[in-house]
Amino acid sequence: MMARALFPYGLALLAFGGLTGCSSEATGARAALSAPEGAEYLGVQTQLLDANTVSFIVRMRGARDRADVVAYARCAAAQYTLIRGYGFAQHVRTNVGRSGDIWEGDGGFVISPDLPAGMRNLDAEVIVDDCREQGIPTV
């Protein structure tokens, strides 16, 4: 009988714990978007794969981890999307490698004038503004 009375409180604690985990994860993701101190952004190569599919090869020194390289590719893709007169990009994948102190990423994106179906969509204007605020260069 006592266990049934405590059951709702146990559920509440589990739910609160799950929400607490989400907030710290979201905070960590936001922190990963800030430019690493002393990072050197070594340029972007753009490769048009077809009319709307683009690969961005980015190179940088001083990345903290893979997330910094992915953020750089995302910033390049967002600016390129605006240059082409489109509003959205969909992140397909980013392969990241490291050789010594140089990190390289190959990010694949599909650009579109309209919001594409899917979950990895980027509003190009919002991303470019955020990149500028965070000190991450675009193309």
Side-chain angles (χ1 to χ4, degrees):
M1 183 92 153
M2 180 77 134
R4 282 189 199 171
L6 293 176
F7 182 71
Y9 298 112
L11 282 177
L13 285 173
L14 284 173
F16 178 73
L19 290 175
T20 302
C22 289
S23 70
S24 65
E25 187 175 324
T27 303
R30 180 69 176 157
L33 290 178
S34 64
E37 192 171 319
E40 294 177 59
Y41 295 92
L42 304 174
V44 177
Q45 292 178 333
T46 305
Q47 299 174 347
L48 189 60
L49 303 176
D50 68 27
N52 294 331
T53 307
V54 188
S55 173
F56 299 91
I57 309 293
V58 297
R59 297 180 68 232
M60 67 182 293
R61 179 180 287 124
R64 294 169 289 205
D65 57 27
R66 179 183 191 286
D68 289 332
V69 182
V70 172
Y72 186 22
R74 181 178 36 229
C75 291
Q79 183 64 56
Y80 180 84
T81 300
L82 294 177
I83 289 168
R84 290 282 306 272
Y86 293 165
F88 300 95
Q90 187 173 56
H91 183 208
V92 177
R93 56 102 184 111
T94 300
N95 297 320
V96 177
R98 182 177 179 186
S99 178
D101 64 343
I102 304 293
W103 291 76
E104 183 173 288
D106 177 4
F109 295 82
V110 176
I111 60 174
S112 173
D114 302 311
L115 182 64
M119 296 186 52
R120 299 179 77 178
N121 297 324
L122 309 173
D123 181 322
E125 286 186 30
V126 171
I127 297 298
V128 167
D129 288 345
D130 189 56
C131 293
R132 287 184 182 134
E133 183 179 311
Q134 299 300 325
I136 302 171
T138 61
V139 288

